[in-house]
Amino acid sequence: MRRALPAGTLASMTRDDSILDDEAAWEAVQRRDPEFDGRFVTGVHSTGIYCRPSCGAKTPARKNVRFYRDGAAAREAGLRPCKRCTPDDVARDRQAVALVLPRLKAAGAPIALADLASGVGYSPGHFQRIFKRQVGLSPAAYGRALRMQRVDGALDGTDSVTGALYAAGFQSSSRFYEQAEGRMGMAPSVWNDGGKGATLYWAVVGTSLGDMLVAASEKGVCRLSFDEGVEDLRRRFPKADLVEGGAPFNCLLQQVIDAVEMPGAAYAHIPLDVRGTAFQEACWKALRAIPPGETRSYADIATAAGNAKAVRAAGAANARNHVAVLIPCHRVIRSDGSLGGYAYGLEIKRRLLKKERG
Ligand SMILES: [Zn+2]
């Protein structure tokens, strides 16, 4: 015989014909699992608010939480809907995203967020949030991933794309990359011991500057170079597992290509997995702070990195940069105005600077 539960709990609620209990609901809330949106709402009795399971607000204390079948039941219990996650709009949000997905799948080029949002009656910011909550990626990143898939010839039916993205762990990877946003010099996983235990995803793509090798760990881009191939990567990371392509990597790769091909493109959000001494990392940060189209001297970089006298060490940090363009060492020139050196040849340096100056 089943234990009697207080009214308003999920004891009798069904999900896929199975009974979802309070424990499963609580686990979904702790995971902020969007799969459960619309299946119940989370009543937080300390604040008097109810939320959808995926609400991004701080997870409430378990003792203050009770679960309700829907918004109506929560309101009956005296609760108000959360303004942040708008738990009563789940169905409308789902429908809006469902309408936009085919548009993104059919598009061969990016569609402006404002255009997508107005098509379903949402403001751009709000639509971006609900889309991300459901899909795990922004509309722009999702569109980019679909286009990459298409380029790879992996697209043989629209449904399989989504399946492939999820199967490849795209959602969790993209979340990881978001968290890593703009960070540098992270865990030394790749850089110790020849990359032992690390998986590196890589590709060589043709660009206007020649063939470009891009490699990334799960933490971010660890190598960007020109005129190199997988053999060079293997020499650098002899103990790493090297994997060509893959959906999460391709999304990152597309952002890297944009950063290289489009002068002034934002790239600060692209995560890097690089490692140097504290001074080298300070130099790399200083390089990333140089606006596109501008140049600095080695003395400027040394000063920005906190040691004006270490001009030669700043030059060495430049030479030790493994991630061209994203750490823009090409923006450093000699104090007499001449180009100085560049690991991939002065022609590429000259062309990068010319692109950026427009
Ligand atoms: Zn909420």
Side-chain angles (χ1 to χ4, degrees):
M1 211 172 87
R2 202 185 308 154
R3 182 165 61 94
L5 285 159
T9 69
L10 291 168
S12 59
M13 216 186 85
T14 60
R15 184 203 172 217
D16 300 334
D17 298 317
S18 63
I19 291 173
L20 176 71
D21 58 20
D22 279 21
E23 203 172 312
W26 177 237
E27 277 169 17
V29 167
Q30 288 174 303
R31 284 198 307 276
R32 295 184 178 160
D33 192 337
E35 278 284 299
F36 287 78
D37 287 1
R39 299 184 193 279
F40 67 90
V41 298
T42 313
V44 186
H45 285 264
S46 49
T47 57
I49 280 170
Y50 66 94
C51 286
R52 59 174 85 193
S54 70
C55 180
K58 191 169 177 291
T59 307
R62 178 68 185 90
K63 66 175 164 51
N64 299 323
V65 168
R66 275 181 70 186
F67 300 105
Y68 297 91
R69 180 189 295 273
D70 53 24
R75 285 194 298 278
E76 221 165 87
L79 301 172
R80 303 183 309 282
C82 170
K83 289 205 170 87
R84 177 165 175 173
C85 67
T86 58
D88 295 330
D89 292 342
V90 169
R92 181 171 169 245
D93 293 352
R94 280 243 166 81
Q95 202 178 10
V97 171
L99 284 168
V100 161
L101 285 175
R103 270 192 80 186
L104 286 172
K105 285 173 184 170
I111 306 174
L113 176 63
D115 182 2
L116 291 172
S118 70
V120 287
Y122 281 70
S123 74
H126 186 58
F127 184 70
Q128 169 110 330
R129 267 195 304 281
I130 63 156
F131 189 96
K132 251 179 126 160
R133 190 185 291 138
Q134 275 181 55
V135 179
L137 294 169
S138 69
Y142 184 76
R144 204 153 44 220
L146 289 171
R147 290 191 299 281
M148 286 307 294
Q149 292 274 321
R150 213 169 281 149
V151 169
D152 284 355
L155 181 66
D156 45 17
T158 44
D159 286 343
S160 71
V161 176
T162 322
L165 289 176
Y166 281 88
F170 196 95
Q171 191 174 17
S172 57
S173 301
S174 74
R175 287 210 173 127
F176 187 89
Y177 286 139
E178 269 161 34
Q179 286 164 12
E181 196 156 306
R183 286 176 63 189
M184 288 199 347
M186 302 197 345
S189 53
V190 176
W191 295 99
N192 284 343
D193 201 12
K196 190 176 180 188
T199 301
L200 298 186
Y201 302 88
W202 67 275
V204 173
V205 290
T207 72
S208 61
L209 299 166
D211 283 351
M212 174 173 76
L213 168 73
V214 180
S217 70
E218 281 168 6
K219 296 194 167 58
V221 177
C222 61
R223 181 85 187 154
L224 192 162
S225 58
F226 295 95
D227 293 325
E228 282 192 341
V230 67
E231 330 67 65
D232 299 284
L233 193 62
R234 199 176 303 284
R235 211 160 23 243
R236 261 165 218 287
F237 302 106
K239 294 181 190 166
D241 279 336
L242 303 183
V243 177
E244 188 174 6
F249 174 74
N250 283 343
C251 178
L252 188 66
L253 177 64
Q254 186 57 49
Q255 296 176 45
V256 174
I257 294 170
D258 288 351
V260 170
E261 294 291 9
M262 298 195 301
Y267 60 84
H269 61 287
I270 299 176
L272 304 180
D273 189 359
V274 293
R275 193 148 190 262
T277 63
F279 183 73
Q280 285 168 347
E281 290 184 12
C283 288
W284 297 338
K285 283 201 176 99
L287 292 172
R288 273 162 76 88
I290 307 172
E294 294 184 22
T295 54
R296 298 287 185 272
S297 67
Y298 292 112
D300 293 333
I301 298 304
T303 304
N307 186 353
K309 287 182 185 159
V311 178
R312 197 169 295 173
N318 239 37
R320 293 260 325 187
N321 172 25
H322 296 280
V323 183
V325 187
L326 301 180
I327 296 177
C329 57
H330 62 277
R331 292 180 196 150
V332 179
I333 61 172
R334 290 224 177 92
S335 43
D336 65 4
S338 66
L339 274 184
Y342 194 59
Y344 310 107
L346 285 182
E347 182 53 29
I348 288 184
K349 184 171 188 174
R350 194 175 293 125
R351 275 153 73 184
L352 275 166
L353 289 172
K354 187 164 173 243
K355 251 179 198 280
E356 292 182 351
R357 284 170 181 151

